[in-house]
Amino acid sequence: MKVLYFGGQKSGKSNLAEKKALNLCSSKPYYLATYDNSFNDKEMHKRIDKHKLQRKESFFTIEESKNLLKVLGKSNKEDTYLVDCISMWLFNNLEKDEAYFMEQLEGVSKLDANIVFVLNDVNSAIIPFDKESRRFVDMTGIIGQKLAKICDEVYEVKLGLENRLK
C-alpha cells in the first residue's frame, strides 16, 4: 500500500503519517529521512530533534537525501517505510530535470512494500518572484500529482485533521 499525506507547514501531516505507517507494519518500520544535514540550519536541526523525540524507538531511521530508490529499492512486501519528506528530497535535487523525479517515482510505484509519503503543500499561495522558488513550487505540484496517482490513499491535512481524498 502507498499512502500520501500532504498539507502546509505544521499541519500535523508527519504525526498522522507516522501513525499510519505504524498501523500498516507487521514489523518495525523504516523512517526514511530526506533532510540534507550539510546546510547547518539550526532551526531545521530543532525540527529534526523534535521528530526524533516524537517517534522514539518506533522506527529504524535511514538518512538518504538524494536517491529514494537507493533505499526503497531494497524493500520487500513485509517492509513499511515512512518517507519524510518528499519536499526536502525535491529541494536536495532541484538541479535535476523533471524526468529524474518521474523516473524515481515510477520506480517507487512498482515496489511491493508499504510506503507512506509526506509532502508539503506549497501550491496555494502567490507565484514566487524568483526562478528557483517558482521551480520548487511547480515541481512540488507535479510530484504531488504523480504521488496522488500512484498512491492507494491520499490525505490532505489541516490543523491536525486529515481529509481523505482518495
Side-chain angles (χ1 to χ4, degrees):
M1 174 171 282
K2 293 179 184 57
V3 181
L4 171 62
Y5 283 86
F6 77 97
Q9 264 182 238
K10 299 296 182 190
S11 62
K13 60 193 175 296
S14 290
N15 289 340
L16 292 167
E18 285 179 18
K19 289 177 187 172
K20 183 68 162 186
L22 289 168
N23 287 333
L24 289 173
C25 67
S26 56
S27 60
K28 192 171 178 178
Y30 297 92
Y31 186 101
L32 177 50
T34 61
Y35 181 68
D36 181 350
N37 280 318
S38 67
F39 295 115
N40 200 24
D41 182 334
K42 291 178 183 172
E43 191 272 330
M44 280 301 289
H45 286 277
K46 287 179 186 176
R47 287 176 181 233
I48 291 167
D49 290 342
K50 183 180 175 185
H51 278 275
K52 286 179 181 176
L53 281 173
Q54 178 178 302
R55 66 181 184 263
K56 299 179 182 130
E57 298 296 319
S58 301
F59 290 81
F60 294 113
T61 300
I62 303 169
E63 294 182 6
E64 176 53 53
S65 60
K66 298 274 188 175
N67 186 341
L68 295 178
L69 289 174
K70 182 178 177 181
V71 174
L72 298 175
K74 300 173 185 175
S75 67
N76 62 59
K77 66 181 179 180
E78 290 85 32
D79 291 336
T80 299
Y81 291 85
L82 170 58
V83 181
D84 197 356
C85 83
I86 292 294
S87 302
M88 278 294 150
W89 168 69
L90 166 60
F91 182 75
N92 297 332
N93 289 292
L94 203 53
E95 77 284 354
K96 307 259 191 210
D97 64 6
E98 184 177 331
Y100 172 80
F101 298 109
M102 294 303 112
E103 287 170 18
Q104 286 268 303
L105 295 176
E106 268 305 311
V108 168
S109 74
K110 295 173 183 162
L111 300 174
D112 190 20
N114 293 318
I115 307 172
V116 180
F117 301 95
V118 175
L119 175 70
N120 285 304
D121 182 7
V122 297
N123 298 315
S124 299
I126 61 170
I127 299 171
F129 286 116
D130 66 281
K131 182 180 178 181
E132 288 235 327
S133 297
R134 276 193 310 274
R135 176 158 166 67
F136 179 78
V137 170
D138 289 349
M139 287 306 303
T140 299
I142 291 166
I143 288 170
Q145 288 181 56
K146 180 68 172 178
L147 283 171
K149 184 178 180 182
I150 68 173
C151 285
D152 304 293
E153 296 178 2
V154 177
Y155 296 91
E156 181 180 25
V157 180
K158 292 183 179 184
L159 305 172
L161 303 171
E162 61 188 357
N163 181 30
R164 185 172 177 173
L165 302 178
K166 178 180 175 186

